[in-house]
Amino acid sequence: MRDRLAPRPERSKEEIEAVVVGAIEPLTGPITFVEYDPAWPELYAREETRIRSILGDRVLRIEHTGSTSVPGLAAKPVIDITMIVADVSDEDAYARDLERGGYTVRIREQEPEWYDHRVFKGPDTNVNLHVFSDGCPELARMVGFRDWLRTHADDRELYERTKRELIKQEWAYVQDYADAKTEVVEAIVARAGLPGGRP
């Protein structure tokens, strides 16, 4: 791996618009990045309780993922949650109830190679609720990455250094910053023995 990350080519505005529901929001300032907050697990627990109260047994599995799920890791203050439902493309079976509960669908990737991924924003907490279908390997990858960072300080520090370097750069959209982390994420994933990510 190179000493400095080479970002993925930025996605065009049209490519981002193709998956974003509603208006896309360009970055107008630096990405917010803060030290680890011990309140993050509590915020996740509150959201999990709320989601389960809305969907009941339609939630097949739900996990706190992303950087806020790793104690000691500085991050964007966004609670990433990954949830499994029977069929993510059957939005009538879960999405309408989430919307009535205050969640808003923001990303609808209708691509089988990316498991028809959906992302909802939370009603009153900065949440990214990632939704996949039962049998999708992405949850195991996300949880495996989280657990590896929780137990491997060297890779946790590498990941944080990388993010600190990337937030110094100017990005048109937050997705561009996220894409730029891919090289280091995939290197850590390989060391952890997890399956590769998006083709």
Side-chain angles (χ1 to χ4, degrees):
M1 180 170 39
R2 297 189 295 276
D3 290 337
R4 184 170 174 83
L5 285 179
R8 265 190 197 173
E10 289 185 15
R11 297 183 197 191
S12 70
K13 182 178 179 184
E14 292 74 23
E15 288 172 315
I16 295 172
E17 285 176 335
V19 297
V20 171
V21 177
I24 61 171
E25 299 172 10
L27 281 172
T28 57
I31 292 172
T32 302
F33 192 80
V34 299
E35 297 304 318
Y36 178 78
D37 186 338
W40 288 339
E42 297 167 19
L43 291 173
Y44 162 76
R46 188 186 74 186
E47 292 301 313
E48 178 185 351
T49 298
R50 178 167 26 202
I51 292 163
R52 287 185 181 280
S53 74
I54 293 168
L55 297 180
D57 61 8
R58 290 173 284 173
V59 176
L60 302 183
R61 187 163 171 204
I62 189 167
E63 294 279 350
H64 187 188
T65 54
S67 293
T68 62
S69 69
V70 180
L73 183 61
K76 296 193 318 307
V78 179
I79 307 300
D80 281 292
I81 300 170
T82 304
M83 180 174 73
I84 300 297
V85 297
D87 180 358
V88 72
S89 61
D90 182 8
E91 292 189 7
D92 288 339
Y94 71 96
R96 306 301 166 247
D97 287 336
L98 283 174
E99 289 166 346
R100 281 189 284 275
Y103 292 85
T104 305
V105 66
R106 289 293 291 144
I107 294 176
R108 182 180 286 122
E109 298 195 61
Q110 296 176 318
E111 306 169 34
E113 67 271 15
W114 189 227
Y115 316 115
D116 296 318
H117 176 225
R118 306 292 195 267
V119 177
F120 292 78
K121 295 301 287 184
D124 51 25
T125 299
N126 196 350
V127 167
N128 286 334
L129 172 60
H130 303 268
V131 186
F132 296 99
S133 294
D134 192 22
C136 171
E138 191 62 17
L139 178 66
R141 174 184 152 86
M142 289 177 164
V143 169
F145 185 74
R146 174 198 72 192
D147 292 348
W148 181 267
L149 292 181
R150 285 177 173 177
T151 58
H152 291 78
D154 52 345
D155 276 336
R156 184 172 59 248
E157 290 162 9
L158 169 64
Y159 190 45
E160 183 171 315
R161 275 197 316 274
T162 299
K163 294 193 299 175
R164 288 187 185 281
E165 181 178 321
L166 291 173
I167 62 168
K168 294 175 187 173
Q169 300 179 34
E170 291 187 15
W171 305 100
Y173 302 99
V174 173
Q175 186 59 51
D176 297 329
Y177 159 79
D179 289 345
K181 296 185 296 182
T182 300
E183 184 176 335
V184 76
V185 168
E186 291 304 325
I188 294 170
V189 159
R191 280 193 289 281
L194 299 168
R198 184 177 189 155

